[in-house]
């Protein structure tokens, strides 16, 4: 990466005045720690970037990703009522807060489906590696060097969250079971 001494960072709430329009940074961590959206006024447009509303669902499988933060970011997006919402992938522009909320519900529902898949799989004690092999994110035919690490990080986040909710327990070192 090249050094850019002329580059300046920004944080949640930073407002860029473009003369007749403002762009406000909306920090939406989870996908990555610094993931942000941009609220453009007076147009009433919220660019939600990688909260892409696809049927694949939320992606929080990178090293710095956080399921907890992603879910908080989804709640934050729901609170911002604007005329249009734009995604970075596939869905493009969605008109209306009601339409956006419905699509956001379906997108967030993928997390609940992953939880349900995991809980059913944990009918007997399993390791995170076994969960990763079972797959919560990618379909069985998907191959590549990214698949195993993403599945492992995703599984670990779900296990941790479900332990916190009292729905999974560690029955022996590194082996987990649904309660």
């Amino acid at each position: 990466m090249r050094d850019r001494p002329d580059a300046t960072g920004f944080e949640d709430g930073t407002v860029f005045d473009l003369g007749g329009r403002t762009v406000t940074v909306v920090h939406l961590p989870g996908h990555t720690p610094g993931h942000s959206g941009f609220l453009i006024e007076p147009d009433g447009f919220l660019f939600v970037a990688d909260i892409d509303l696809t049927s694949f669902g939320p992606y929080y499988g990178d090293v710095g990703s956080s399921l907890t933060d992603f879910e908080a970011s989804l709640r934050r997006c729901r609170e911002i009522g604007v005329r249009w919402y734009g995604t970075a992938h596939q869905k493009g522009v969605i008109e209306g807060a009601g339409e956006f909320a419905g699509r956001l519900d379906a997108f967030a529902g993928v997390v609940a489906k992953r939880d349900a898949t995991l809980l059913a799989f944990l009918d007997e004690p399993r390791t995170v590696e076994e969960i990763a092999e079972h797959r919560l994110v990618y379909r069985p035919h998907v191959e590549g060097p990214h698949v195993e690490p993403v599945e492992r990080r995703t599984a670990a986040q779900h296990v941790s969250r479900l332990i916190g909710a009292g729905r999974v327990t560690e029955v022996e070192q590194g082996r987990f079971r649904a309660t």
Side-chain angles (χ1 to χ4, degrees):
M1 176 183 272
R2 258 181 28 197
D3 283 341
R4 291 298 310 256
D6 58 324
T8 57
F10 54 80
E11 57 189 42
D12 187 46
T14 298
V15 177
F16 299 97
D17 186 343
L18 304 180
R21 279 200 174 55
T22 60
V23 177
T24 303
V25 175
V26 181
H27 187 217
L28 300 170
H31 178 66
T32 62
H35 181 261
S36 295
F38 299 95
L39 176 62
I40 302 165
E41 295 291 2
D43 304 304
F45 182 86
L46 178 63
F47 179 67
V48 294
D50 286 319
I51 297 177
D52 60 26
L53 309 179
T54 62
S55 61
F56 181 83
Y59 177 83
Y60 40 89
D62 283 345
V63 172
S65 297
S66 166
L67 173 55
T68 301
D69 288 350
F70 209 125
E71 290 179 315
S73 291
L74 296 177
R75 288 189 297 275
R76 185 167 189 202
C77 285
R78 181 180 303 284
E79 295 168 358
I80 302 172
V82 293
R83 183 173 179 189
W84 294 295
Y85 301 81
T87 70
H89 306 283
Q90 296 181 15
K91 298 300 178 185
V93 176
I94 292 100
E95 186 168 357
E99 179 68 21
F100 177 75
R103 291 179 186 220
L104 194 63
D105 288 343
F107 184 69
V110 173
V111 174
K113 289 176 189 172
R114 291 174 183 160
D115 278 343
T117 298
L118 176 57
L119 288 168
F121 186 63
L122 293 179
D123 62 340
E124 60 183 70
R126 313 273 187 172
T127 65
V128 169
E129 289 74 24
E130 290 170 317
I131 297 165
E133 287 174 16
H134 184 68
R135 299 208 177 174
L136 297 175
V137 180
Y138 294 105
R139 294 179 181 157
H141 70 277
V142 176
E143 296 180 17
H146 64 289
V147 172
E148 191 273 329
V150 167
E151 289 288 351
R152 191 174 358 94
R153 285 190 294 271
T154 300
Q157 289 186 75
H158 278 265
V159 166
S160 177
R161 190 168 68 116
L162 291 168
I163 287 172
R167 300 184 69 193
V168 167
T169 188
E170 188 171 14
V171 294
E172 60 184 80
Q173 182 68 34
R175 297 189 71 75
F176 306 94
R177 182 180 190 142
T179 56

